[in-house]
Amino acid sequence: MRYTRYSKNIFLIQFLLDVGILVILFFCFLKVQYLQIGQSLTIVQILKAHYKVLILFLVSWYFISFNIKLYSISRLTGIFIILKKNISQIVLFSIIIFAVSGFKTSDLFSNKLSLYFLSALFILTFLSRLLIFFLLKLYRRLGGNYRRIIFIDENSNTYSFANLLSKRKDYGFINFGSFLFEVEPDKKKKIYNFDLTQVKYFLLEENIQIIFFSLNGKLPQSIQDDLIFLAQKLHVEIRFIPSTIYDSFSSLKLEYYDTFPILTFKEFPLDNFWNQFLKRAFDIGFSLFVIVFIFSWLFPFIIIAIIVDSGQPVFYFQKRVGLRGKPFYCYKFRTMKASKDNDVKATVKGDERITRLGSLLRKSSLDELPQFFNVLKGNMSVVGPRPHMVVQDEYYNDLFLKYSLRHYVKPGITGLAQVKGFRGEVNMKEDMWKRIIADIFYVKNWSFLLDVLIVIRTFLKVMGGDDKAI
């Protein structure tokens, strides 16, 4: 199939590019090392002296890349995953570099040159991978490296997913039709009435590579087993569209008791002690940095400005819902006039309760700065789902399935939903649903690097101004 051939080719191209970069840097930095001690060696002389080390580096690079699946990049992989794998590769490879340099300090890299070598290796290999990444996306947009797909049955998410694939040409999926339960066939719209025999011939004639089957649709339940059997028999990949986003089965993993398979819920990344430790260390370090180097001079100006604009109090303490559903008091600079609705009514655009200075503080997100004290206290994190008022939380918890998953981590000053643009006034049910999807994705896919990227994107949004801030 086209997919397999392209996968092997891309794997080989990426590996050869990395090997080429590694070899060139190896000789360049060794030449520099010899020049620093007053010797000038040719490439041939360097190779004769260090060919064993070069072979060790190449073999080590291959086995490390194989174990972390450096080159296993699918069409759905994003830049973040590429960066994460590249960092892992360089960190593990650095152990080999420093071990070898430590054994041969007289004629291999010094510690300083080793760091420069690793930095150059990381930058160049990452850039080469990005180049291939964007070229592949462009190639797919132009109609190459595509996969032939069909949809079978429909549920509440089928059309949204199909529209997503039609818009994201860079994914490289071409829809050859939908087989639905008791519909009027329409060849122009590629809609067909479901019949298992007809599906079989269609798969063979059109060389279909993937079936997207909608769970909990209109077709009888018995069809699912027949369809899976047919797909396996014809060597066609089958994938399932859940009827609700983040359905229970997506949180399950398979364990074996002897040879008996049992399904259990997966652990989230922040269930791991070391991940908790790393996140907490980052929270404390980053908060102390902000408090010492920003609060120390900015706080007095904001405090005086609030008093001059609308009097006291300067701070506002609002009860919000935190980790595992426990309420806490969230600290903010006061941006509203005193009102009995402040703890129960969400802010809307043009809200008359907002003061003149309060509007500026909200637009620039400066009203959130006191929450770094919440972070030090331990009831918030720098990055996480934004905490809601108690009344809001109770309402959305009853309205949305899986809403409570966002309470598996500490709420944050900023979060994935905010940098994705899902903030501001909630006019429709869909506005909150987008935030919840982003928050659940964060809980299930947390990593330290993701936190760092969210902080960087938050800083850029604050500097550039956020239109959705109210």
Side-chain angles (χ1 to χ4, degrees), residues 403-428:
Y403 174 86
S404 60
L405 278 179
R406 65 197 305 278
H407 297 320
Y408 274 69
V409 299
K410 290 180 184 178
I413 297 174
T414 185
L416 182 61
Q418 282 62 48
V419 299
K420 287 280 187 182
F422 308 142
R423 63 173 297 186
E425 188 176 3
V426 179
N427 291 317
M428 298 181 295

Side-chain angles (χ1 to χ4, degrees), residues 282-342:
F282 174 74
D283 284 343
I284 293 171
F286 190 83
S287 297
L288 286 174
F289 174 84
V290 171
I291 289 169
V292 172
F293 294 101
I294 298 178
F295 282 11
S296 56
W297 59 269
L298 185 59
F299 253 44
F301 289 107
I302 295 176
I303 290 170
I304 293 169
I306 292 173
I307 293 172
V308 170
D309 179 63
S310 58
Q312 294 192 31
V314 172
F315 298 101
Y316 179 62
F317 308 107
Q318 188 177 61
K319 188 178 282 189
R320 298 203 175 185
V321 181
L323 182 66
R324 295 184 179 86
K326 293 181 180 178
F328 71 99
Y329 283 98
C330 180
Y331 308 151
K332 297 183 74 173
F333 281 122
R334 183 177 60 82
T335 58
M336 288 185 170
K337 301 166 188 173
S339 170
K340 61 181 180 180
D341 295 332
N342 287 352

Side-chain angles (χ1 to χ4, degrees), residues 196 200 203-204 208-209 211 224-240:
L196 196 61
K200 177 182 176 180
L203 293 173
L204 293 170
I208 300 301
Q209 296 162 291
I211 296 170
Q224 184 173 325
D225 293 334
D226 294 336
L227 188 63
I228 291 172
F229 178 76
L230 176 64
Q232 291 174 340
K233 186 178 178 181
L234 299 180
H235 306 289
V236 176
E237 188 178 345
I238 186 166
R239 301 179 185 180
F240 300 93

Side-chain angles (χ1 to χ4, degrees), residues 51-80:
Y51 73 91
K52 291 180 181 178
V53 175
L54 180 59
I55 292 171
L56 174 63
F57 282 179
L58 293 175
V59 171
S60 300
W61 181 273
Y62 172 77
F63 279 108
I64 293 170
S65 67
F66 178 80
N67 278 287
I68 69 166
K69 299 180 180 177
L70 180 66
Y71 303 112
S72 299
I73 305 296
S74 75
R75 62 189 63 230
L76 305 180
T77 302
I79 294 175
F80 171 72

Side-chain angles (χ1 to χ4, degrees), residues 155-174:
N155 60 32
S156 57
N157 290 313
T158 305
Y159 290 109
S160 297
F161 179 66
N163 288 334
L164 171 68
L165 293 188
S166 67
K167 290 176 183 177
R168 292 294 302 270
K169 302 292 185 186
D170 56 301
Y171 282 160
F173 292 103
I174 296 182

Side-chain angles (χ1 to χ4, degrees), residues 167-206:
K167 290 176 183 177
R168 292 294 302 270
K169 302 292 185 186
D170 56 301
Y171 282 160
F173 292 103
I174 296 182
N175 183 7
F176 277 75
S178 299
F179 289 82
L180 308 176
F181 182 67
E182 294 183 349
V183 294
E184 282 294 323
D186 188 337
K187 285 192 175 182
K188 286 185 178 179
K189 293 182 179 179
K190 299 178 181 178
I191 296 175
Y192 309 97
N193 198 28
F194 181 85
D195 177 81
L196 196 61
T197 304
Q198 186 183 355
V199 169
K200 177 182 176 180
Y201 286 116
F202 193 91
L203 293 173
L204 293 170
E205 289 170 5
E206 298 294 343

